Amino acid sequence: MNRRRLTALCIVSATVIVALLVSSQTILVSVRAQDEPDPTPPPYNPYPPGILPANLNSEIARVLREIDRIEGQALAELGALTPPTLTNQPPILAHTGQRLNVLLGKALNFDRNISPFKDRACAFCHMPYTGFSGPIPSVNLTMIGYPGSYQFRAGKRNAQRYTYSPSFPVLNHNDTQQSFFGGNFWDSRATGYLLGSPDANQAQGPPVDTQEHALPDTACIAFRLQSAVYESFFIEVWGDDINTIKFPANTEEICEIPGGASVFGTNTMPIQLSPSDRAIANHVYDHWAQSIDQYEDSPDVSAFSSKFDAFLHDPTTNPLSADEMAGYNLFRGKANCNSCHLDGRSTAPTPVNGTAPNGEDTGAAADTRPVFTCFGSANLGLPLNPRDAIYYQNKPDFFGFTPNPFGFGFRDLGLGTFLRSGPGSWASPNDDWTQFAPSSDGQMQTSSARNVAMTPPQCPTTEAPGPYFQKQFFHNGYIKSLKQLVHFYNTRDVFPFNVTSGHCPSGTIEKVTCWPKAEVPNNMDMTIGKLGLTDHEEDQIVVFLQTLTDGFTTPYPDIDTYTGACMTGGSAKTQGNNTLIPTPILPPCASAICGVAPLPSMPLPFGNQ
């Protein structure tokens, strides 16, 4: 008890010191420039002009300041929490144990020391005020993937929202429906097969992803935790095995080199540990991810506090407006959204004069937590987005690593690549699934529609003319507003053109009266594309989607931490079109992607127009 209280006091002191260090960052950098060389390697910049936003450095600094603020609050909450009582068989941390684990997960999520250059936290790509998706408007407009710890390596996809991701089950193949359900990440590669939680499995990806945190070894997490200010709380939840690991003297030197560096060769465990210490480090990594999962599954992140939730609880006291109700009826009717983004609402109460199972489905509210996803995957036929930074990362960086040797020969087959254990994904843990790769090519996870419209309070919408917060939608960030998103579902097959993005014919407007061809035409979902919605009906669906934003019944935690600027002007229909660039002449899909058995069901297209 005394040790824990002393630790709490140290944490508060450390938080103050961190704040002072952040505020004096400019001075420290200035002194270093005069007295000693900057130890940070030169940025990786293989990009043509216009891919990296002009304000990228200042925006990175802004997000890091916001992260430090939230981290400080999490540490203060941990220090003030009444310690739980360890009791029972099996052992239970009674009374405050659950809150302790949630706050521990929050501290882990906002800790930017978990990266080679101590400049990236998990939250860097997932901030609360955007529903835990990408927090930099200019990145959402231009480079799509977020820059990792080694600037400017960047990921290949839009940062997927955390909210409600713990609700996804372990990935499984339904043999009757011939479909996959569950997993996390856009390509479902975080199956959860080992931890029983795809969300915890997902948390294990970014720390050692070469484009994100870029740690070269999972054991770097245990090593950094040994000196973390919240170490005592981690031990309180998971035990003190972490301090028994005997790390070699060069561990910090190794952990400061980003993954993929040529010095490592093919060695994915460069920290030399004994088998027993390696096993403990692996368990620490599992527990690290499980605590983050508990944070993401808590009301701090997945709150069920939207206007729609209030409506379900008491529609008389919390009615939807006329446009919101019209949008909801379209969502579950004419627009067919509810076929994938399930509201889980309809049920069959027993009639007054009958007995079960004689009830008739009256559409009454079910006693459930509607998550607005089917947990499946689909290929919506999105065009290739030539703004995605990944296409330009075909040159080696300072560390001798080439993120994407295929250049524009890369095609994002999503679930299909994962099932083949292909490049840019993870190895599949189930060879029985490989046969389904051709029928899964192009499929991406059906994310929850909840919090798709969440923005900072001072930028109250995703839609121009605003004031609005610029987000990006779908896996490759091609869509820039909810209006465009609904219009795509509605008219993909009304305005199809055999062109790539940036080459729509004269007299048409891309994303309005011209939809470029699909990056992956295989297995396209044909239940959308020609819904027959009017322009006003599209707007009503957007209004309904905004009712799924948490924070209506209770304030959403950390929603007020955005310190950037809002955008204004323009139209939601053409939002972001000023940043469109022509797709270059595309080479064939690289053989390392499309030439892996079992082959795609038909060749992927290439060419300029």
Side-chain angles (χ1 to χ4, degrees):
M1 176 72 73
N2 289 337
R3 181 190 175 203
R4 188 175 186 279
R5 291 191 181 279
L6 178 61
T7 301
L9 290 174
C10 292
I11 286 173
V12 174
S13 301
T15 303
V16 173
I17 292 171
V18 167
L20 291 172
L21 288 174
V22 170
S23 66
S24 61
Q25 184 179 20
T26 303
I27 298 174
L28 292 175
V29 170
S30 176
V31 170
R32 182 187 297 123
Q34 296 175 13
D35 299 340
E36 59 181 289
D38 188 340
T40 304
Y44 177 56
N45 189 359
Y47 309 105
I51 297 299
L52 299 183
N55 67 347
L56 183 55
N57 285 324
S58 62
E59 283 291 85
I60 288 173
R62 169 186 65 79
V63 175
L64 292 179
R65 289 193 299 270
E66 294 168 356
I67 287 171
D68 287 342
R69 174 187 167 188
I70 299 174
E71 176 74 347
Q73 292 172 343
L75 295 175
E77 288 183 80
L78 273 170
L81 187 70
T82 301
T85 302
L86 184 61
T87 185
N88 230 75
Q89 282 297 332
I92 300 292
L93 289 169
H95 310 303
T96 58
Q98 183 176 31
R99 187 60 184 166
L100 171 62
N101 202 12
V102 167
L103 289 175
L104 174 62
K106 183 175 183 178
L108 298 171
N109 190 71
F110 289 89
D111 182 6
R112 59 184 175 118
N113 292 305
I114 309 299
S115 57
F117 303 110
K118 300 183 179 180
D119 58 354
R120 289 297 179 271
C122 297
F124 181 80
C125 300
H126 308 273
M127 287 296 277
Y129 49 74
T130 58
F132 287 85
S133 62
I136 302 179
S138 57
V139 169
N140 296 338
L141 268 178
T142 57
M143 62 188 295
I144 311 305
Y146 271 66
S149 182
Y150 174 42
Q151 319 236 95
F152 296 104
R153 287 187 194 172
K156 64 177 178 288
R157 295 183 184 134
N158 177 13
Q160 201 171 12
R161 294 186 304 281
Y162 280 171
T163 52
Y164 305 97
S165 57
S167 296
F168 280 72
V170 172
L171 184 67
N172 65 90
H173 184 262
N174 185 308
D175 291 339
T176 302
Q177 296 186 38
Q178 289 291 291
S179 296
F180 284 91
F181 295 94
N184 263 200
F185 284 123
W186 286 109
D187 60 4
S188 300
R189 67 186 183 275
T191 64
Y193 85 97
L194 192 60
L195 299 181
S197 165
D199 186 63
N201 193 188
Q202 183 277 332
Q204 294 180 314
V208 289
D209 189 299
T210 55
Q211 313 300 96
E212 299 188 45
H213 296 219
L215 290 171
D217 191 320
T218 57
C220 291
I221 291 286
F223 179 74
R224 292 277 173 89
L225 287 181
Q226 283 188 343
S227 58
V229 293
Y230 49 77
E231 177 212 21
S232 65
F233 297 103
F234 190 91
I235 289 173
E236 189 166 9
V237 173
W238 298 112
D240 61 2
D241 286 356
I242 185 173
N243 285 332
T244 68
I245 303 174
K246 297 178 179 63
F247 284 102
N250 66 341
T251 299
E252 179 58 31
E253 179 183 345
I254 291 172
C255 292
E256 289 178 354
I257 301 174
S262 58
V263 67
F264 297 131
T266 59
N267 186 4
T268 58
M269 292 185 286
I271 299 175
Q272 298 300 304
L273 295 174
S274 68
S276 59
D277 280 347
R278 175 60 66 174
I280 295 172
N282 289 343
H283 292 153
V284 168
Y285 198 56
D286 290 345
H287 295 325
W288 181 86
Q290 288 168 322
S291 288
I292 289 181
D293 167 67
Q294 288 303 294
Y295 168 60
E296 294 175 2
D297 199 29
S298 76
D300 288 13
V301 177
S302 303
F304 292 96
S305 61
S306 70
K307 183 175 184 179
F308 183 78
D309 293 298
F311 164 74
L312 284 188
H313 175 65
D314 188 347
T316 302
T317 305
N318 301 292
L320 299 181
S321 70
D323 278 343
E324 289 168 347
M325 182 56 76
Y328 180 37
N329 287 332
L330 289 164
F331 183 93
R332 57 182 175 165
K334 182 178 179 181
N336 201 31
C337 311
N338 203 33
S339 64
C340 293
H341 298 280
L342 305 177
D343 65 359
R345 180 171 185 259
S346 186
T347 189
T350 302
V352 175
N353 297 320
T355 58
N358 299 318
E360 180 180 351
D361 188 347
T362 61
D367 186 11
T368 186
R369 305 192 315 168
V371 185
F372 284 88
T373 176
C374 61
F375 306 114
S377 298
N379 178 9
L380 301 177
L382 285 160
L384 183 148
N385 186 356
R387 273 211 157 276
D388 196 328
I390 193 66
Y391 294 112
Y392 306 96
Q393 299 182 69
N394 60 345
K395 301 177 181 65
D397 63 20
F398 176 82
F399 295 95
F401 175 66
T402 303
N404 173 28
F406 315 114
F408 271 94
F410 171 75
R411 299 291 186 278
D412 199 342
L413 303 186
L415 179 58
T417 290
F418 164 60
L419 297 179
R420 295 183 181 89
S421 302
S425 190
W426 292 355
S428 168
N430 190 337
D431 283 345
D432 292 341
W433 293 344
T434 308
Q435 61 184 305
F436 303 114
S439 59
S440 303
D441 283 333
Q443 291 188 347
M444 300 288 174
Q445 188 173 88
T446 303
S447 296
S448 168
R450 284 180 171 273
N451 292 322
V452 69
M454 182 175 281
T455 58
Q458 65 267 44
C459 315
T461 181
T462 58
E463 310 298 288
Y468 66 94
F469 183 93
Q470 181 61 62
K471 298 181 80 170
Q472 56 177 323
F473 302 96
F474 296 128
H475 73 279
N476 67 357
Y478 176 74
I479 298 294
K480 303 303 181 185
S481 71
L482 289 175
K483 172 65 176 180
Q484 289 176 10
L485 180 148
V486 176
H487 189 62
F488 174 76
Y489 279 120
N490 185 29
T491 64
R492 181 198 65 192
D493 300 337
V494 178
F495 305 117
F497 285 88
N498 189 31
V499 298
T500 51
S501 179
H503 296 285
C504 280
S506 176
T508 67
I509 302 173
E510 189 162 340
K511 304 182 188 178
V512 180
T513 54
C514 168
W515 293 111
K517 61 186 176 182
E519 176 183 2
V520 183
N522 307 7
N523 314 306
M524 280 176 55
D525 183 345
M526 302 308 295
T527 64
I528 64 164
K530 198 172 185 179
L531 302 176
L533 299 170
T534 66
D535 184 70
H536 182 58
E537 287 174 331
E538 290 180 355
D539 293 338
Q540 288 176 321
I541 293 175
V542 171
V543 170
F544 168 68
L545 290 173
Q546 292 166 343
T547 72
L548 301 180
T549 298
D550 285 321
F552 180 82
T553 60
T554 56
Y556 194 71
D558 304 309
I559 190 71
D560 61 346
T561 52
Y562 180 62
T563 56
C566 304
M567 300 179 71
T568 58
S571 165
K573 292 183 179 180
T574 56
Q575 195 168 322
N577 273 15
N578 60 317
T579 60
L580 287 171
I581 59 175
T583 304
I585 295 176
L586 297 174
C589 175
S591 60
I593 297 170
C594 294
V596 180
L599 300 180
S601 55
M602 60 180 181
L604 300 189
F606 60 95
N608 196 23
Q609 273 90 13

